Amino acid sequence: MKTDFGVISGQGEEASKEKVMRSIQSLNRQGSLDSSKEDGGATLILTLTLCNVRKTELSRAAKVFEMFETQIHHFETRRAKKPKNSDDDLDIFVECEVHSADVNILITSLKRAAEDVKTGREDKVPWFPRKIQDLDECHHLITTYDPSLDHCHPGYTDLEYRKRRAFFADLAYNYRAGDPLPRIEYTAQETATWREVYRKLRSLYPTHACTQYLDAFQQLEKYCGYQEDNIPQLQDVSRFLKERTGFQLRPAAGLLSARDFLASLAFRVFQCTQYIRHFSSPMHSPEPDCCHELLGHVPMLANKEFAQFSQDIGLASLGSSETEIEKLATLYWFTVEFGLCKQNGSIRAYGAGLLSSYGELMYALSNKPEYKPFDPEVTSVHPYQDQAFQPVYFIAENFEDAKDKLHIVAQPKLLKISEGTRICQNGKHKATSVQGVPTSMYLMETLSKMASNFFFFFSSFQKMAKQSRMPSIDRFLGFYAERATPGCFLEVKAADMLCFCIPLACGCNNYELC
Ligand SMILES: [Fe+2]
């Protein structure tokens, strides 16, 4: 691999304007370059492979971007699909902005630092998991609140705590889809921290949590070891959720990137931390921990409507652009993390960030903050606060209403549907007919069982189809209907090139019977 950056710089000075323009036109034809910006900036979508990353290649590639004052919008690494030198080779996806005049020379420079630099149309849709096993690759962490990096983390100066965290991180990184979830022997100190959090929060739930939460919490105390003196094991909790809503847990090493976290939800998988917060700060954790997951998220994931809402956000995220991911993550923040809902004439909490934080749960229902009705278009772009209490909370009428509104927002990129609904032959399922597609009763019934998430599935399918030949809708639906089994994974092979697996959820109210 050549890494002579002095030569690259010299080439930049010599490049003729005409040559650069030819390069831009060529890239435009390939669909990987948006040079329409008025300020002369061009957006590039690139993939490249780095070999020998443990040596200096990664920093050399980074230096290329720095040299051209490239604005990086998204930078993502994954283990190389086709390693050239060793298993350490990395595939890198970059969405960046550079001055139009520098496009040609930037790419030439990258080709000297990396293998397989591509700017083709297939790279316009970011990688996303096609099957549940692909979630083994979705563990990219946001290290902002990591105890070994963040000076303000309560465990930063506690070496024992950091060692314990490294142990949990190893468990998560070594986990593979289908493995049993690791059972943890928690220390007396960890259990004492749990006890303090559990006692305090439990006293607030009857007056502050929504009824769906309270019902599930009661079940968890009965069947999953939810007690003051016991931190529940993820394996037991995961089995409980799987039976009720099809959701399952997998261990996470810390705060994940929004893209990876949301993608897991599409498969009804919840990435769950297993460590506990530092004992010196039982009432506050700057990052997710088992108190937040087990007390905040798990009870709500046992509710069918809420589980469907969570999966819908996840499905909408697959293959989305960075801007769309940011909007969905914000939507998730104000609903799944900090959502309030109306219930029997009062306001109750269903957000995990509230139900796992004594102080904020009290504050959110104190009439001090501002309240707004849940409206995905407004909520998804509203500024949020991750260092203090939220200045505003969004109130949903109920989960069904929130789910319907979410569909309306996602509609423009989905398959067009007709306005009316039909009842399937046995009268048990409502179905929405698909415009322009001949629908037999058999197909209608199958579609009805897939219910709302069919439309999100189709959205993801369309994004994926941009990468290849689009098969006919009839062929796709026929194939889909043939293989659809609610509660199972569906595998679609389109144009003999693509494979896409997605968990199906039944839209009727007796999911466990399907
Ligand atoms: Fe959370």
Side-chain angles (χ1 to χ4, degrees):
M1 182 188 300
K2 289 183 186 174
T3 53
D4 186 348
F5 289 99
V7 173
I8 294 165
S9 187
Q11 281 180 348
E13 287 157 19
E14 290 161 17
S16 69
K17 199 173 175 183
E18 192 189 345
K19 211 169 165 185
V20 171
M21 287 316 292
R22 267 208 304 272
S23 163
I24 293 171
Q25 280 159 10
S26 155
L27 284 165
N28 264 326
R29 276 197 300 277
Q30 292 171 52
S32 60
L33 168 66
D34 170 14
S35 60
S36 59
K37 294 180 184 295
E38 287 175 5
D39 60 0
T43 300
L44 277 173
I45 296 171
L46 303 162
T47 57
L48 41 119
T49 302
L50 284 181
C51 304
N52 300 321
V53 283
R54 286 195 180 167
K55 293 180 183 168
T56 54
E57 279 68 12
L58 184 58
S59 59
R60 282 175 178 156
K63 204 173 165 189
V64 174
F65 289 109
E66 193 185 333
M67 191 186 299
F68 292 97
E69 296 179 349
T70 315
Q71 271 185 283
I72 306 281
H73 296 312
H74 185 81
F75 187 94
E76 198 172 319
T77 63
R78 295 191 186 272
R79 197 170 292 159
K81 272 186 193 162
K82 294 176 188 166
K84 298 241 160 122
N85 291 357
S86 72
D87 287 345
D88 291 335
D89 292 358
L90 289 180
D91 281 344
I92 299 190
F93 170 87
V94 188
E95 188 178 341
C96 61
E97 200 172 320
V98 67
H99 196 278
S100 300
D102 290 335
V103 170
N104 187 33
I105 194 65
L106 172 75
I107 293 168
T108 310
S109 305
L110 282 172
K111 282 182 177 169
R112 288 168 184 268
E115 308 272 344
D116 294 335
V117 179
K118 284 182 193 158
T119 55
R121 182 181 293 276
E122 70 273 18
D123 301 327
K124 287 205 94 175
V125 177
W127 179 91
F128 63 92
R130 262 74 165 170
K131 52 187 187 296
I132 201 164
Q133 287 79 6
D134 290 345
L135 297 182
D136 291 345
E137 303 297 319
C138 295
H139 49 56
H140 296 85
L141 293 183
I142 307 291
T143 52
T144 319
Y145 304 116
D146 188 289
S148 55
L149 298 169
D150 175 14
H151 295 228
C152 300
H153 192 290
Y156 182 69
T157 55
D158 184 344
L159 294 183
E160 267 309 302
Y161 181 77
R162 282 165 56 169
K163 200 170 143 197
R164 182 73 165 155
R165 288 291 300 269
F167 162 77
F168 280 106
D170 278 349
L171 287 181
Y173 284 130
N174 291 325
Y175 181 84
R176 293 290 171 269
D179 289 352
L181 286 140
R183 286 195 174 270
I184 306 297
E185 206 169 310
Y186 288 101
T187 65
Q189 189 177 61
E190 287 170 335
T191 307
T193 305
W194 166 266
R195 184 185 308 120
E196 197 170 344
V197 178
Y198 191 91
R199 257 188 207 163
K200 222 150 180 202
L201 282 169
R202 198 179 183 285
S203 68
L204 273 188
Y205 291 153
T207 49
H208 289 64
C210 65
T211 53
Q212 292 88 340
Y213 181 94
L214 293 173
D215 290 347
F217 195 80
Q218 204 177 27
Q219 298 277 303
L220 287 160
E221 285 194 320
K222 197 171 172 186
Y223 299 115
C224 290
Y226 272 55
Q227 295 162 20
E228 279 184 13
D229 295 322
N230 179 59
I231 303 177
Q233 295 292 335
L234 295 194
Q235 179 68 33
D236 301 336
V237 176
S238 188
R239 195 183 306 120
F240 172 87
L241 288 177
K242 191 98 193 266
E243 283 168 10
R244 277 152 182 82
T245 58
F247 253 94
Q248 57 186 304
L249 307 178
R250 66 170 287 151
L255 181 61
L256 291 174
S257 74
R259 184 180 290 280
D260 284 355
F261 182 78
L262 295 177
S264 308
L265 296 178
F267 294 84
R268 293 207 173 207
V269 170
F270 187 83
Q271 300 236 28
C272 192
T273 54
Q274 218 165 359
Y275 55 82
I276 196 161
R277 60 194 62 185
H278 194 258
F279 68 91
S280 65
S281 178
M283 287 303 127
H284 173 72
S285 173
E287 53 180 345
D289 73 331
C290 68
C291 295
H292 172 69
E293 321 283 29
L294 294 167
L295 297 174
H297 285 290
V298 165
M300 290 310 301
L301 289 172
N303 176 268
K304 293 180 183 73
E305 293 294 339
F306 183 83
Q308 186 63 61
F309 179 76
S310 304
Q311 187 186 22
D312 285 349
I313 296 181
L315 285 165
S317 79
L318 296 179
S320 287
S321 67
E322 276 309 290
T323 312
E324 288 171 321
I325 292 284
E326 179 62 28
K327 284 174 82 171
L328 289 166
T330 306
L331 203 57
Y332 183 89
W333 181 268
F334 282 117
T335 54
V336 179
E337 292 291 356
F338 292 97
L340 298 174
C341 61
K342 289 184 184 171
Q343 214 151 65
N344 304 324
S346 63
I347 307 294
R348 294 295 182 103
Y350 71 88
L354 296 174
L355 292 159
S356 61
S357 165
Y358 185 85
E360 187 153 3
L361 185 52
M362 296 271 280
Y363 171 77
L365 296 178
S366 66
N367 280 327
K368 285 180 194 158
E370 186 184 352
Y371 301 108
K372 288 186 177 178
F374 174 64
D375 173 354
E377 295 209 54
V378 176
T379 309
S380 64
V381 293
H382 200 284
Y384 63 86
Q385 175 58 260
D386 65 355
Q387 300 282 329
F389 294 165
Q390 303 307 307
V392 59
Y393 296 93
F394 288 90
I395 301 176
E397 291 295 321
N398 52 56
F399 300 137
E400 186 65 38
D401 180 62
K403 192 155 62 75
D404 290 346
K405 283 180 176 162
L406 183 67
H407 287 191
I408 292 164
V409 167
Q411 191 83 3
K413 60 180 179 176
L414 303 181
L415 184 72
K416 279 188 180 176
I417 56 171
S418 69
E419 288 189 358
T421 54
R422 299 183 193 175
I423 304 297
C424 69
Q425 204 166 27
N426 63 17
K428 283 183 185 168
H429 301 109
K430 253 204 230 171
T432 309
S433 59
V434 182
Q435 272 184 352
V437 178
T439 50
S440 65
M441 279 314 292
Y442 170 69
L443 182 57
M444 287 298 293
E445 190 171 343
T446 309
L447 287 177
S448 73
K449 284 179 181 170
M450 294 168 200
S452 57
N453 87 1
F454 168 77
F455 300 105
F456 284 91
F457 174 90
F458 213 100
S459 164
S460 303
F461 178 79
Q462 283 174 318
K463 285 174 195 163
M464 183 183 65
K466 285 182 191 168
Q467 300 175 354
S468 180
R469 275 190 303 133
M470 178 73 176
S472 74
I473 288 179
D474 280 358
R475 187 180 162 201
F476 166 65
L477 288 180
F479 194 96
Y480 195 19
E482 242 176 75
R483 286 156 180 79
T485 311
C488 296
F489 287 88
L490 169 75
E491 185 174 334
V492 173
K493 283 182 182 164
D496 301 317
M497 292 173 70
L498 302 166
C499 177
F500 189 84
C501 298
I502 204 82
L504 294 177
C506 179
C508 69
N509 291 325
N510 53 347
Y511 180 83
E512 62 272 25
L513 299 177
C514 295

